[in-house]
Amino acid sequence: DLSVDISGLKLKNPIMPASGTFSEDLAEVFDLDRLGAHVTKTITRGWRDGNPTPRVCEVNGSMLNSIGIPSKGVGAFIEKVVPFYAHYETPLVVSISGNTADEFATLCSEVSVPGVAAIEVNISCPNIEEDGKAFAIRPSSTHDVMRKLRAATELPLWAKLTPNTGETSEVARAAEEGGADALVVANTILSMAIDINTRRPKLGNLMGGLSGPSLKPIALRMAYQCARATGIPVIGCGGISTVEDVIEYLIAGASAVQVGTATFIHPTIMLSLIDGLEDWLANQGLSSVKDLIGTVIDG
Ligand code: ORO
């Protein structure tokens, strides 16, 4: 049994895409109803152009991005994206962001429509403010924005946290106290790469978020900290490309995982992870993936 429960939202398996690494185009590659959930690219209320190019580069078998949340706005989401996913049974999770807490909360209420099962609140994008600043860097700003978002919707709220903080457990608790129903751990870590011939940063926006295998031990550590610090489900995210990675996150305390960068290399990787997890559980004689969650022996 691969099913998991994220604060009342039942998922048929614990594998879902990370925001921004998944789009409707993948419906041409595989049956989207195989996934545990669908998670959209972050949207904002109004139109956003995004950051200057180049927006991605490769580094150490991992990736930097400074996309800058280009968005067609909430109207396009309601008119095009929600109807597209209505053809599937899998729960739709919409990722949202806002420049101010009030604008964020307005969008939160605007996307609370039939067809949306949960809202992932992106309080952790490293690419929209100087030096990667985001609400989730500090416990106080996390708490304040979560309170406003909580008041704006009755849908489950998943708070996406950032590795760009030294206060992971405190931020996690602040999100929980502010009303988060689950934590997505984590977004990308602010990073840089320079072309030594031109001496120019490889990204148009100079800095960007690191994702892929290099991020995994950091995000895994955070998932463990957040599971210990709070009583709400943790969804692990960061550098997952093998079934062993998935299992490691579950043992650390994650109830589900998101897969991002690996999908750019193998578009059907999430299906292999679902099948691989099922086989691994059977080989271990475990009847439910739930028996694995938080079983790390740390004492
Ligand atoms: N990139 C990330 O790594 N995380 C985000 O939340 C958003 C972006 C982006 O659009 O640049």
Side-chain angles (χ1 to χ4, degrees), residues 41 65-70 122 125-127 187-188 209:
K41 168 75 183 161
N65 86 82
S66 64
I67 312 290
I69 312 194
N122 185 356
C125 176
N127 297 329
N187 210 314
T188 55

Side-chain angles (χ1 to χ4, degrees), residues 90-169:
T90 303
L92 174 63
V93 182
V94 55
S95 171
I96 64 169
S97 175
N99 288 325
T100 64
D102 289 324
E103 184 194 72
F104 212 145
T106 303
L107 178 58
C108 191
S109 96
E110 287 168 342
V111 299
S112 299
V113 295
V116 173
I119 302 172
E120 181 175 287
V121 291
N122 185 356
I123 55 175
S124 49
C125 176
N127 297 329
I128 52 179
E129 279 198 61
E130 204 187 344
D131 293 337
K133 287 196 183 64
F135 292 106
I137 283 177
R138 280 186 208 91
S140 58
S141 43
T142 299
H143 188 261
D144 292 350
V145 72
M146 289 310 304
R147 293 260 322 250
K148 289 198 166 161
L149 294 166
R150 180 70 285 163
T153 188
E154 299 198 335
L155 287 175
L157 280 180
W158 298 1
K160 189 159 181 180
L161 304 190
T162 175
N164 303 314
T165 178
E167 301 180 275
T168 297
S169 298

Side-chain angles (χ1 to χ4, degrees), residues 13-55:
N13 68 63
I15 311 289
M16 68 185 90
S19 174
T21 63
F22 183 79
S23 76
E24 292 92 283
D25 301 342
L26 280 168
E28 288 162 31
V29 184
F30 64 88
D31 175 11
L32 300 189
D33 264 335
R34 297 263 339 259
L35 301 175
H38 296 145
V39 184
T40 71
K41 168 75 183 161
T42 302
I43 63 160
T44 52
R45 269 201 96 195
W47 177 278
R48 271 182 69 88
D49 285 333
N51 285 339
T53 57
R55 289 175 167 179

Side-chain angles (χ1 to χ4, degrees), residues 22 34 37 56-57 62 67 100 126 147-148 154 159 176-177 202 207 216 228 235-236 239 244 249-250 265 267 288 295:
F22 183 79
R34 297 263 339 259
V56 289
C57 74
S62 296
I67 312 290
T100 64
R147 293 260 322 250
K148 289 198 166 161
E154 299 198 335
E176 180 182 31
E177 280 165 23
K202 290 188 179 174
M207 292 176 246
K216 201 197 87 180
R228 286 178 51 122
I235 299 164
E244 288 79 12
Y249 270 98
L250 295 171
I265 303 163
S288 168
T295 54

Side-chain angles (χ1 to χ4, degrees), residues 2 14 243 246-247 250 273-281 289:
L2 288 184
V243 70
V246 174
I247 294 160
L250 295 171
L273 298 177
I274 295 164
D275 294 339
L277 183 59
E278 192 155 38
D279 292 347
W280 190 87
L281 289 171
V289 71

